Amino acid sequence: MAAGVLALAGCGVGGFSLEQADVDRSVVTGSIQSQPDPVAAGMDADQITIRNAVSSADVEEVAGKAIAWANPDTGSRGTITGLTEAKEDGRLCRSFAGSRERFDGIAMFKGRTCMVGQGVWRIESFEDL
């Protein structure tokens, strides 16, 4: 027991002092990446949901009717109206308008999505009104 106490006492005898303490630069820790703006991220996710609803709709069947959409990941929902389809520069494109309800209120939007490959649609324009 006495040997253990003497061994521990020897650790403190070395002359440690706070005045001589310095930052240990050899220790490197990870960092947390900045998070995207949740409203902007939510809008991107909502645009994808809207694009999917527009691209999968039967234009003739929904002519003059509103298409409901909802994104459970963001809690947003709304309707798509005025869906039209046309060939532009050899591509099939669909124009649309609609509404979006989410935590910060209701907004109206319009947009256009075009087929860029076999079954692949890309939003060409999307803007809040």
Side-chain angles (χ1 to χ4, degrees):
M1 171 100 161
V5 172
L6 288 175
L8 288 176
C11 291
V13 175
F16 177 77
S17 111
L18 289 177
E19 288 82 28
Q20 295 174 349
D22 197 14
V23 176
D24 184 357
R25 304 257 182 234
S26 67
V27 177
V28 178
T29 61
S31 65
I32 298 173
Q33 295 182 3
S34 63
Q35 298 297 314
D37 176 9
V39 174
M43 190 58 222
D44 292 340
D46 290 345
Q47 285 181 8
I48 291 167
T49 301
I50 293 165
R51 179 206 61 197
N52 293 343
V54 167
S55 65
S56 64
D58 182 334
V59 177
E60 292 176 10
E61 185 179 314
V62 299
K65 299 176 188 170
I67 302 168
W69 67 272
N71 185 344
D73 293 333
T74 63
S76 300
R77 64 183 178 172
T79 58
I80 298 165
T81 57
L83 181 61
T84 60
E85 185 175 83
K87 286 267 189 178
E88 296 178 16
D89 300 324
R91 300 181 304 167
L92 183 62
C93 294
R94 293 182 175 181
S95 296
F96 55 92
S99 66
R100 180 184 66 243
E101 286 180 49
R102 61 182 188 191
F103 68 92
D104 61 350
I106 298 173
M108 304 301 289
F109 60 83
K110 69 177 183 175
R112 185 174 61 121
T113 185
C114 297
M115 187 178 285
V116 295
Q118 186 63 30
V120 178
W121 291 81
R122 179 176 62 208
I123 292 181
E124 298 288 324
S125 67
F126 193 97
E127 61 184 86
D128 286 332
L129 300 175

